[in-house]
């Protein structure tokens, strides 16, 4: 399928790989800046309290302390969804870790001592840590300024069709409560922010973040700094997975410290700080009922969702958007009722972490698919195929399915795993196979006013092409993919393309890296800009070759007449001819691509992505039924990626996502005790090691999307999304009990075997 | 900021310990440096034992016993072929301790002296009848390893005293041992439950047996009441399960992030019979692999 | 405290705080920021360097103890810009994504391959890398890179032909 391309579709090592393997990449904490001060934050030790008094005099008097800030001596405005957050808390603190004061000092030791010397008097208030308890009428009110009912920050409700009527028609109905843990994205690089003022009151901020433009806007609005006085630079990112999407109090605080001291200030998070006070993956609980007719057609899904989003909204409050989409649009379900409540609790608050509500929802939906199949005596993969969407379908929420390889993905993992021969047949070995599939956005996600991205290209006298993209590289390989797209479009070697990730003064706008949108949207913008550049080159080359521009093609750095390839000229030469002549011009091209999607309306309907990605996994587990230990033996995956611009990078994203999913499924949970995060370290927070992750088998299905660049769709989150569900289904196959929550830790397995937990139940035929 | 003192002899180290009450000994540093960093402990000075490595390292068979120098790294224990053959439980515990980096740095002396209830090395050493040599200002004393542990993070070492060697059984044919553990992840985790067992088989019957537990009691724990059950018989699953039940009753695990006390007792009851079985199979030459599966699940049938 | 040791083959003499860990001597005293940190508790392996060829987590390594010893960091692996076999294999196989764990991972791999010069299988490789967390790759391509180098070296030993490294810059 990719035989006609020079560059796209090749397994290309990342362009920055040599630097990475040599230790030459400078991440945020590596940057050496003269006169750098160390910033540190005084955090609340209480989950819920009123600040009565802050005494900073001892801290200020400590030699080497250059600034001590608190709400009383800074200019700041509320920020965040519904303005529910503010960098330095003036009166109420809402979780253990909430920011109360900050210092800038000459070194880490002085900063730490200054923090210890800040004396804060609190009046402790009753706190609530459980989402259901927070929703009770008499629960402590966490955000009184919002005048909410029972700590419900937001509600997301959706209705389609007649669920009650559909249930009466159902031959089988399953019901269950499915719970997911508080987890951490935990990139190996912790958060780091550096801010520095110059002599023109202009602040430059370095932060390894996803959304430089939104970040700049928030800084401006919260701190009252004119927009044009802020430059944001993204240094290389050591992983994020959504942790670095939200702008956080420490970002504003670092700028405030830089302003107060007029020296560069660096705030670098320890791993403990990272666990305690950066964005989490919120627990989301699903009470779900679904039913099918006797032929296996899904009839309805009835879902009550509670998201325990912690003390503030952040982007985490919007995970419902995606969770809802899975409930309404993963498989064809004609009747849907969804009720979501996003609850405030006095705990670390949620962000937009890889998958963004989809893994949690898929855990529920995909277990119910297998339960329905078992109740009907049908094969679960067959049941999925029967109910899968196809090209041209429109889902209850208005998602328009264009390219869709779900069916093919299911077939592939069925084959790879030996499903037909082995599922249900290894119980004597306590082994099992479980499948799970997913639907996710693959062509952007219109959750902000614009879902667009700009690209600028220049090609000067050296023949070297520079792409300045609005988008940014997080380590996922987007820069290489963009270089490949530009190289393919222009017909030049990929080595001739430099992708420059510059700062907000130079690069064109992009909403940011999220929702697996970068290849699709930044890729299209890059391709459009490259096409414009190519037109300029062809216009100059045509008379030189005695042909019309329409007769020309380019490959391997040369422009030639399509029908007479011997008439050719090098691209660099053409660029020089264009430039170095009277009335000459440079090759400067730009484009802004905003995808053909629409925002959701008030009823939560709208085709908010220009394409959707799909995939299917099968997991194989072995369970030790006396200790409950689960060994993951195999994971087979197949993903519809539209077209793999760089198959090696696409595999890498899927494999990495799958490993994260394995951690979620089996070992990752942030333990919170009375609001306090325990085990805020890599010792206790069990991220999978190379021993925990089996070889992950990846097959790429290419449906060649009509809108994506060269047919490509997004892939960043898909590897993770179905893993907890696939593992749960495999455990159910192995030992006959259904994991109602994850991580499926050994003692939970024994509990399930003992029948102690509330198990999803299967009901038989209903009336009618 | 703490000073670093660098003794070049054991006597040096002891006198430094005596002269600096706020000093901590540092061998590999993987526990001590971590404690200092996290604030679990505080030191005015550090006594760096690394220059005593050559004097205090080594794994030697001497007079029917193994003598392991306290500064022997966990990695060296992992790598020793003869030890693996004769005291497999010790090599197995060494293999699962931490990571290659930790094993390169950490020492057996440090692992014992830190007194962590979930430490990997004590249970296998206990089932190999280990004792430790402690050298102080007044000379050397040798105590059974079981007497070293007093409570979580506390040992019976006096001040100033240095643990210089561990001595344990050198076993020949007819003996087998194994170390098993329960964890959540399959690497890097601390044991939720650690179980070691050793048996000596003579004429087809178990002549001596030892079972030791880690992570389920304030100290690493030998459970003689449990091991007594299997003595005098050939391996019998029913007796092994009984031993497991008694072992579970004898320990007092806590409830923490690695499981509840009830769960841990259940796991003890499950792992002890597996450990006895593998020890028996090794003693009778029926299981020759260097390393047993860490949870003791042996065969295709899942038992 | 005066620390004297060899780093990447060069003699280094520096006054450092006596209770420094090797990581902070490298990054803060010597500005050698190729070695990263991810946890400072010895659990992630990002800070892995070699001491006398063996892997240690430099965040817990008391610097005083490496006085007189030989330390190898990521900066010492490539030879004048020419990547070594491990680095080249990482590049070829897509074994680095964000690259943050990569310096520590490569040092662990170098140690692994020196420790096991013969054939290696996947379980052994995974076990020897259990102390190096990667959040991006899922480990697949890292394992591929290691197995590839092990094969190359087995081939080297078999035919006694050398395999050169690849230049750093393309």
């Amino acid at each position: 399928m990719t035989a006609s391309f020079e560059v796209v579709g090749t397994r290309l090592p990342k362009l920055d790989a040599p630097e990475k393997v040599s230790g030459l990449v400078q991440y945020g904490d590596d940057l050496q800046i003269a006169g750098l001060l160390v910033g540190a934050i005084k955090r609340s030790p209480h989950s819920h309290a009123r600040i009565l008094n802050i005494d900073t005099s001892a801290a200020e008097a400590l030699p080497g302390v250059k600034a001590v800030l608190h709400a009383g001596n800074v200019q700041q405005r509320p920020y965040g969804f519904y303005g529910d957050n503010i960098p330095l808390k003036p009166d109420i603190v809402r979780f253990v870790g909430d920011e109360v004061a900050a210092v800038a000092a000459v070194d880490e030791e002085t900063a730490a001592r200054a923090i210890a010397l800040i004396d804060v008097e609190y009046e402790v208030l009753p706190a609530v840590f459980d989402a259901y308890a927070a929703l009770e009428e008499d629960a402590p009110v966490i955000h009184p300024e919002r005048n909410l009912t029972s700590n419900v920050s937001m509600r997301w409700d959706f209705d389609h069709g007649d669920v009650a009527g559909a249930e009466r028609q159902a031959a089988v109905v399953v019901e269950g409560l499915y719970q997911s843990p508080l987890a951490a994205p935990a990139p190996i690089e912790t958060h780091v922010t550096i801010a520095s003022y110059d002599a023109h009151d202009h602040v430059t901020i370095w932060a390894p973040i996803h959304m430089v433009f939104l970040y700049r806007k928030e800084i401006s609005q919260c701190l009252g700094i004119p927009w044009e006085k802020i430059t944001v630079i993204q240094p290389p990112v050591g992983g994020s997975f959504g942790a670095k999407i939200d702008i956080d109090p420490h970002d504003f605080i670092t700028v405030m410290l830089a302003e107060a001291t007029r020296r560069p200030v660096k705030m670098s998070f320890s791993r403990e700080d990272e666990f305690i006070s950066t964005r989490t993956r919120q627990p989301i609980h699903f009470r779900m009922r679904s039913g099918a007719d006797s032929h296996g057609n899904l009839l309805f899904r009835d879902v009550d969702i509670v998201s325990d989003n912690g003390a503030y909204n952040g982007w985490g409050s919007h995970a419902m958007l995606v969770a809802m989409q899975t409930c309404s649009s993963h498989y064809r379900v004609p009747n849907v009722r969804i009720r979501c409540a996003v609850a405030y609790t006095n705990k670390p608050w949620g962000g937009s972490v890889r998958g963004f509500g989809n893994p949690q929802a898929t855990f529920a939906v995909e277990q119910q698919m297998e339960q329905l199949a078992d109740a009907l005596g049908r094969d679960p993969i067959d049941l999925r195929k029967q109910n899968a969407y196809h090209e041209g379908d429109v889902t209850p929420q208005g998602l328009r399915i264009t390219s869709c390889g779900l069916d093919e993905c299911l077939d592939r993992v069925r084959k790879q795993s030996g499903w037909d021969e082995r599922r249900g047949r290894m119980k004597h070995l306590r082994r099992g196979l479980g499948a799970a599939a997913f639907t996710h956005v693959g062509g952007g996600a219109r959750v902000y006013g614009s879902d667009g991205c700009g690209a600028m290209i220049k090609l000067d006298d050296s023949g070297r092409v520079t792409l300045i993209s609005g988008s940014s590289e997080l380590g996922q390989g987007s820069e290489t993919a963009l270089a490949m797209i530009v190289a393919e479009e222009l017909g030049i070697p990929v080595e001739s393309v430099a992708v420059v990730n510059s700062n907000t003064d130079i690069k064109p706008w992009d909403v940011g890296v999220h929702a697996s949108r970068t290849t699709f949207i930044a890729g299209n913008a890059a391709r459009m800009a490259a096409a414009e550049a190519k037109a300029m080159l062809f216009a100059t080359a045509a008379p030189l070759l005695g042909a019309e521009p329409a007769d020309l093609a380019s490959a391997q750095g040369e422009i030639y007449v399509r029908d007479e390839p011997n008439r050719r000229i090098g691209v660099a030469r053409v660029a020089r001819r264009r430039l170095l002549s009277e009335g000459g011009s440079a090759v400067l091209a730009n484009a802004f691509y905003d995808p053909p999607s629409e925002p959701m309306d008030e009823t939560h309907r709208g085709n908010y992505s220009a394409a959707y990605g799909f995939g299917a996994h099968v997991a194989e587990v072995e369970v030790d039924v006396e200790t409950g230990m689960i060994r993951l033996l195999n994971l087979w995956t197949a993903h519809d990626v539209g077209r793999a611009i760089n198959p090696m990078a696409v595999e890498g994203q899927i494999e990495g996502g799958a490993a994260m999913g394995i951690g979620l499924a089996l070992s990752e949970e942030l333990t919170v005790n009375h609001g306090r995060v325990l085990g805020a370290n890599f010792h206790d927070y069990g991220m999978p090691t190379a021993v925990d992750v089996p070889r992950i088998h990846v097959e790429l299905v290419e449906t060649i999307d009509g809108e994506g660049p060269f047919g490509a769709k997004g892939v960043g989150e898909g590897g993770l999304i179905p893993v907890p569900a696939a593992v749960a289904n495999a455990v159910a196959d192995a030992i006959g009990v259904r994991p109602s929550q994850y991580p499926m830790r050994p003692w939970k397995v024994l509990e399930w075997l003992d029948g102690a937990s509330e198990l999803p139940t299967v009901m038989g035929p209903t009336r009618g | 900021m703490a000073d670093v003192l660098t003794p070049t002899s054991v006597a040096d180290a002891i006198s430094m310990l005596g002269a600096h009450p706020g000093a901590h000994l540092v061998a590999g540093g993987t526990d001590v440096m971590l404690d200092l960093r996290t604030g679990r402990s505080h030191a005015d000075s550090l006594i760096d034992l690394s220059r005593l490595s050559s004097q205090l390292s080594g794994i030697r068979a001497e007079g029917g016993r193994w003598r392991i120098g306290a500064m022997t790294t966990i990695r060296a224990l992992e790598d020793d072929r003869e030890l693996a053959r004769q005291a497999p439980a010790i090599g197995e515990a060494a293999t699962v301790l931490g990571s290659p980096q930790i094993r390169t740095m950490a020492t057996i002396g440090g692992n014992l002296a830190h007194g962590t209830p979930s430490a990997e090395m004590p249970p296998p050493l206990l089932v190999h009848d280990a004792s430790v040599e402690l050298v102080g200002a007044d000379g050397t004393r040798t105590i059974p390893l079981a007497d070293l542990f007093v409570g979580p993070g506390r040992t019976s070492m006096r001040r100033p005293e240095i643990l210089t060697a561990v001595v344990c059984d050198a076993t020949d044919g007819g003996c087998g041992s194994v170390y098993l553990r329960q964890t959540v992840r399959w690497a890097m985790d601390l044991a939720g439950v650690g179980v070691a067992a050793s048996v000596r088989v003579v004429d087809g019957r178990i002549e001596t047996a030892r079972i030791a537990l880690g992570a389920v009691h304030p100290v690493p724990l030998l459970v003689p009441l449990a091991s007594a059950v299997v003595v005098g018989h050939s391996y019998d699953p029913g007796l092994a399960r009984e031993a497991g039940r008694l072992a579970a009753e004898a320990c007092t695990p806590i409830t923490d992030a690695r499981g509840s006390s009830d769960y841990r007792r259940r796991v003890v009851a499950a792992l002890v019979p597996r450990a006895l079985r593998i020890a028996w199979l090794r003693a009778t030459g029926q299981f020759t692999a260097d390393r047993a599966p860490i949870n003791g699940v042996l065969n295709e049938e899942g038992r | 405290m005066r620390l004297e040791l060899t780093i990447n083959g060069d003699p280094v003499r520096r006054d450092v705080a006596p209770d420094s860990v090797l990581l902070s001597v490298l990054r803060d005293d010597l500005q050698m920021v190729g070695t990263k940190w991810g946890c400072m508790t010895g659990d992630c392996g990002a800070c892995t360097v070699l001491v006398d060829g063996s892997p240690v987590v430099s965040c817990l390594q008391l610097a005083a103890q490496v006085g007189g010893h030989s330390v190898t960091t990521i900066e010492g692996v490539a030879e004048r810009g020419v990547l070594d076999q491990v680095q080249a294999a990482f590049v070829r196989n897509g074994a680095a994504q964000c690259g943050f764990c990569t310096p520590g991972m490569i040092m662990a791999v170098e140690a692994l391959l020196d420790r096991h010069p013969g054939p290696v299988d996947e379980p052994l490789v995974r076990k020897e890398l259990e102390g190096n967390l990667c959040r991006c790759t899922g480990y697949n391509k890292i394992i591929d890179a290691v197995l590839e180098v092990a094969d190359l070296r087995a081939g080297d030993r078999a035919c006694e032909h050398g395999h050169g490294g690849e230049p750093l810059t393309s």
Side-chain angles (χ1 to χ4, degrees), chain B residues 33 60 75 88 107 124 131 158 167 174 184 188 191-192 215 217 268 298 302:
Chain B
M33 299 304 290
R60 279 188 306 281
R75 195 117 240 216
T107 64
S131 25
R158 300 173 192 146
V167 180
V184 175
M188 284 305 282
H217 202 68
V268 168
L298 267 195

Side-chain angles (χ1 to χ4, degrees), chain B residues 31 111-120 122 149 151-154 190 215 218-220:
Chain B
D31 282 324
N111 194 251
L112 297 180
H114 200 245
T116 311
S118 59
E120 313 288 0
F149 306 113
R154 291 183 300 122
L190 277 185
V219 296

Side-chain angles (χ1 to χ4, degrees), chain A residues 9-164:
Chain A
T10 60
R11 301 178 71 84
L12 196 73
K14 283 170 102 251
L15 301 179
D16 60 0
E19 282 74 26
K20 289 189 165 153
V21 301
S22 308
L24 293 175
V25 174
Q26 298 227 333
Y27 301 84
D29 197 53
D30 299 330
L31 298 175
Q32 317 270 318
I33 297 173
L36 197 63
L37 294 174
V38 172
I41 293 177
K42 179 88 178 172
R43 299 183 180 282
S44 165
H46 301 294
S47 310
H48 199 195
R50 183 182 312 281
I51 298 170
L52 296 175
N53 190 48
I54 304 181
D55 181 358
T56 57
S57 50
E60 286 164 32
L62 192 64
V65 172
K66 299 301 188 188
V68 183
L69 302 180
H70 53 86
N73 63 6
V74 299
Q75 305 273 30
Q76 54 176 3
R77 289 197 203 100
Y79 81 95
F81 290 107
Y82 298 102
D84 73 342
N85 207 341
I86 192 161
L88 289 167
K89 309 305 176 289
D91 47 12
I92 306 283
V93 291
R94 297 177 173 86
F95 78 106
V96 175
D98 220 346
E99 298 82 4
V100 174
V103 308
V106 293
D107 57 36
E108 262 182 53
E109 200 182 311
T110 309
R113 281 167 59 207
I115 292 294
L117 286 172
I118 297 175
D119 191 20
V120 186
E121 239 181 277
Y122 294 99
E123 175 199 336
V124 177
L125 301 171
V128 59
F129 308 114
D130 173 82
Y132 290 104
L135 297 177
E136 306 264 310
E137 265 183 33
D138 56 353
V141 177
I142 299 175
H143 281 274
E145 80 282 3
R146 286 193 60 199
N147 291 313
L148 300 170
T149 314
S150 306
N151 291 310
V152 177
S153 173
M154 300 177 199
R155 280 197 197 281
W156 306 67
D157 298 337
F158 180 77
D159 289 286
H160 188 87
D162 172 16
V163 163

Side-chain angles (χ1 to χ4, degrees), chain A residues 429 624 627 684 687 692 754, chain B residues 185-186 263 266 274 300:
Chain A
L429 300 173
D624 174 356
T627 65
D684 295 312
M687 286 179 15
D692 294 288
D754 291 344
Chain B
R185 290 185 294 173
W186 293 85
Y263 170 73
R266 261 176 100 155
R274 292 179 189 176
E300 280 275 46

Side-chain angles (χ1 to χ4, degrees), chain A residues 27 30 271 651 668 688 693, chain C residues 27 36 38 98 126 141:
Chain A
Y27 301 84
D30 299 330
R271 180 56 56 186
E651 285 165 10
E668 287 186 41
V693 177
Chain C
R27 286 180 60 85
K36 312 301 177 194
C98 84
R126 289 182 182 276
K141 292 178 180 348

Side-chain angles (χ1 to χ4, degrees), chain A residues 603-763:
Chain A
T603 71
H604 304 297
R605 285 173 173 77
N607 187 37
Y608 80 126
S609 184
Y612 297 91
F614 305 88
H617 290 199
V618 168
E620 180 175 2
V621 302
E622 183 179 275
V623 183
D624 174 356
V625 296
E626 291 183 317
T627 65
M629 291 164 81
I630 297 175
R631 194 189 286 276
L632 181 65
L633 299 173
N634 280 295
L635 186 69
W636 295 274
T637 76
H639 284 252
D640 165 18
V641 299
R643 185 186 308 274
I645 302 291
N646 183 346
M648 190 158 73
V650 169
E651 285 165 10
Q653 281 291 289
I654 292 167
E655 289 157 1
M660 253 183 157
I662 290 167
L664 276 182
L666 295 176
S667 56
E668 287 186 41
E669 178 164 19
L670 268 180
T671 318
V672 179
N673 187 11
H674 295 293
R676 185 174 303 273
V677 173
L678 305 177
N681 55 62
F682 278 155
H683 204 53
D684 295 312
Y685 187 78
M687 286 179 15
T689 68
V691 170
D692 294 288
V693 177
R695 181 152 286 272
I696 298 162
H697 306 280
V698 177
E699 281 200 29
L700 301 180
V701 170
E702 293 186 314
T703 52
I704 316 298
D705 186 74
E707 183 67 22
F710 298 102
K713 297 190 284 190
V715 73
E717 295 163 279
L720 186 158
I721 290 165
V723 174
V727 173
N729 284 333
V731 169
D733 185 42
I735 58 173
V737 291
R738 284 241 150 245
S740 52
Q741 68 183 92
Y742 57 95
M744 296 163 231
R745 279 183 297 193
W747 46 91
K748 295 301 301 179
V749 174
L750 292 193
E751 248 180 70
W752 292 323
L753 282 167
D754 291 344
S757 301
E758 179 185 300
L759 292 173
T761 54
V762 178
M763 282 105 115

Side-chain angles (χ1 to χ4, degrees), chain A residues 331-346:
Chain A
Y331 302 114
R332 262 181 291 106
V333 189
N335 303 284
V336 181
R337 173 194 164 277
I338 304 173
R339 298 284 179 270
C340 313
V342 178
Y344 282 123
T345 55
N346 292 112

